[in-house]
Amino acid sequence: REDAVTRLMIMGFDRDYCVLETIKSAVEQEIEVVTSEVLMLTTKIRDTSIARDYFRKNTTYLESLVEVYNYLDPQGKLAFIP
């Protein structure tokens, strides 16, 4: 609030613990959260839907890297440098 942050893009490790709790905290503070599961890692061997369901319900959830790219560059001005 001090820096007038209203939106965060969150990615990281571990999806089902650290990332989930960070996102919950931001949502509780009424900060818009943008995230994508493709930007997260997890220690879970089996796929769990608890975190994913929360993300889809409470964040701007981007399904793919293409959606992430388009979100970050909606005007198509960024260029990939090989």
Side-chain angles (χ1 to χ4, degrees), residues 20-40:
L20 178 58
E21 294 305 317
T22 299
I23 289 174
K24 283 181 177 180
S25 178
V27 168
E28 288 170 7
Q29 295 177 54
E30 298 180 359
I31 296 172
E32 179 187 352
V33 175
V34 178
T35 196
S36 176
E37 195 169 358
V38 297
L39 301 175
M40 301 176 199

Side-chain angles (χ1 to χ4, degrees), residues 23 27 31-33 53-61:
I23 289 174
V27 168
I31 296 172
E32 179 187 352
V33 175
D53 290 346
Y54 184 87
F55 302 152
R56 285 184 175 146
K57 182 178 178 185
N58 296 286
T59 73
T60 299
Y61 185 76

Side-chain angles (χ1 to χ4, degrees), residues 32-82:
E32 179 187 352
V33 175
V34 178
T35 196
S36 176
E37 195 169 358
V38 297
L39 301 175
M40 301 176 199
L41 298 173
T42 185
T43 57
K44 294 277 186 178
I45 294 173
R46 293 183 315 192
D47 185 38
T48 58
S49 62
I50 295 170
R52 185 181 308 113
D53 290 346
Y54 184 87
F55 302 152
R56 285 184 175 146
K57 182 178 178 185
N58 296 286
T59 73
T60 299
Y61 185 76
L62 307 171
E63 295 282 343
S64 68
L65 285 176
V66 171
E67 287 184 18
V68 172
Y69 180 80
N70 289 336
Y71 181 86
L72 293 173
D73 186 29
Q75 309 278 310
K77 294 181 180 181
L78 296 176
F80 288 108
I81 300 173

